[in-house]
Amino acid sequence: MGRILVVGSINTDLVTFIDRLPEAGETVAARDFAQLPGGKGANQAVAAARLGADVALIGRVGNDGFGHLALASLAEAGVITDRVLPTENVPSGIATILVEPSGENRILIVAGANGHVTPADISEEALAGVALVVLQLEIPLETVFHVMTLAHGLDVPVLLNPVPAVALDPERLRGLAYLVANRGELALLTASPVESTDQIAAAARKLVRRGIAHVVVTLGAGGALLVTATRVAHVEAPSVAVVDTTGAGDAFIGCFAQTLVATNDVDTALSRAVRYAADTVTRRGAQTSYSEAKGFEQ
Ligand code: RIB
C-alpha cells in the first residue's frame, strides 16, 4: 500500500462545552472544558493512520508546550512526523472551539506556526512513494498550490478539502483527483445554490467540468454525494446520538483517503467514510473520537 502524504495544519483545540452562547458583554458559565489535539491536517492524518494507513504529515508547530504535545500525539497515532518542523519565535496553532448541547461546533483558529508552512518545506523528494496527497486550507494558499503543482508533475493524485472556505480561482483546482467539500464550501466555490440534492449535484458538476475528477459533498446527517463526469451516487449516513461534531469532516477524509489507497475503489471509500464520520460524532473531540478499524467495523 502506498503512503498518504498530508500537508496541513496542526493545532491544539481549546474546547468549551456550552449550554448557550453569551450575548455581547455577558458572562455565562459553561459545562466543561478540554484541551485536545486538533488541526485539520493532523486530524486527517491521525484518522487515516488509526485505520492502518502509512501516513506522513508535513507542517509546522511552535517550539512550545502545545507543539511538543501535538507531536507526541501524532507519533502515538503512528503518523510519520520527521518533516514537521518545530519553528522558533511563533506559537503553535490554536483553535478555540465552542460545542453546543446539540453537538454543533463553532471554531476560531489562530494559525501561528501553520502560517509559516512555506513551499520550501515540500520538495519532490517528499512525494517519493506517495499514493495520495491530502491538502486543506489552514496553511498558506501558495504552499497548497505549490504542492498541487509538484504532485501533478509527478502524477500523484491530490485530494483537496477547501476549508476554511475561501473563493478560489477555479483554474487552480484543475487536475485535482478529489475535492471533498461541505455544502457551504461548494456554494462558495461555485457561486451556486445548494439547497436541494439536484442543486448540489449541479454545482458539483460545474467543478467536474472545470477538471476535477471526483467531487464529494459531505452532508452531515444526510450522508455524502459523489459526483463525477458520468454519475451521481448518494450514500445515507446511519442515525447516531450526536455528542460533538468537531472533526467529523476530517474523520471522513482520513477514512476516505485510507480506503481509497487500500482498495482503489471510490464507492467503498465513500460508504466507509460516511460510517466512520458518523461513529466519531458520538464522542467528544476530533482525534480523541477517532476509533481504530476494529472499533468502528464491529
Ligand atoms: O476540523 C476540526 C478542526 O478544525 C479542529 O481540530 C481545529 O483545530 C480546526 O483546525
Side-chain angles (χ1 to χ4, degrees), residues 98-281:
L98 302 179
V99 179
E100 296 174 13
S102 64
E104 198 51 74
N105 67 77
R106 292 161 204 270
I107 304 181
L108 279 168
I109 52 170
V110 181
N114 297 309
H116 294 256
V117 181
T118 63
D121 293 352
I122 307 102
S123 59
E124 262 193 32
E125 196 205 326
L127 276 91
V130 168
L132 180 69
V133 170
V134 176
L135 297 163
Q136 324 75 28
L137 302 180
E138 285 185 338
I139 59 171
L141 260 186
E142 66 160 333
T143 307
V144 172
F145 292 142
H146 162 75
V147 178
M148 280 169 56
T149 305
L150 265 188
H152 293 340
L154 296 167
D155 274 338
V156 178
V158 178
L159 182 159
L160 175 68
N161 174 217
V163 194
V166 285
L168 293 171
D169 173 2
E171 269 315 300
R172 305 305 298 258
L173 304 178
R174 193 170 287 287
L176 283 175
Y178 305 93
L179 182 129
V180 181
N182 68 18
R183 209 189 274 248
E185 292 139 19
L186 178 69
L188 192 68
L189 285 177
T190 59
S192 305
V194 290
E195 294 309 315
S196 66
T197 306
D198 284 350
Q199 287 176 336
I200 293 169
R205 261 191 227 102
K206 277 190 182 177
L207 294 177
V208 170
R209 282 197 294 275
R210 290 172 187 166
I212 301 173
H214 304 83
V215 176
V216 175
V217 187
T218 54
L219 303 168
L225 204 69
L226 167 71
V227 180
T228 71
T230 53
R231 68 195 178 101
V232 175
H234 181 216
V235 173
E236 301 275 358
S239 157
V240 292
V242 180
V243 171
D244 181 358
T245 54
T246 308
D250 300 329
F252 180 99
I253 288 168
C255 181
F256 185 79
Q258 181 271 333
T259 312
L260 263 183
V261 169
T263 66
N264 206 20
D265 183 326
V266 70
D267 292 291
T268 304
L270 189 72
S271 60
R272 207 160 167 263
V274 165
R275 282 186 287 124
Y276 189 67
D279 177 62
T280 68
V281 304

Side-chain angles (χ1 to χ4, degrees), residues 9 11-13 37-40 43 95 97 107 109 138 246-247 250 286:
S9 57
N11 290 336
T12 296
D13 292 351
K40 295 185 195 308
N43 293 346
I97 304 183
I107 304 181
I109 52 170
E138 285 185 338
T246 308
D250 300 329

Side-chain angles (χ1 to χ4, degrees), residues 4-80:
I4 295 170
L5 175 66
V6 181
V7 183
S9 57
I10 303 164
N11 290 336
T12 296
D13 292 351
L14 304 176
V15 190
T16 304
F17 296 89
I18 62 168
D19 286 319
R20 69 171 178 86
L21 281 173
E23 302 291 335
E26 188 188 20
T27 301
V28 169
R31 289 176 179 210
D32 205 359
F33 172 82
Q35 178 187 315
L36 301 172
K40 295 185 195 308
N43 293 346
Q44 294 172 16
V46 165
R50 291 238 169 99
L51 292 170
D54 172 7
V55 190
L57 175 65
I58 297 182
R60 283 181 181 257
V61 291
N63 194 0
D64 54 23
F66 284 149
H68 301 155
L69 282 172
L71 280 178
S73 156
L74 285 160
E76 195 188 321
V79 175
I80 296 161

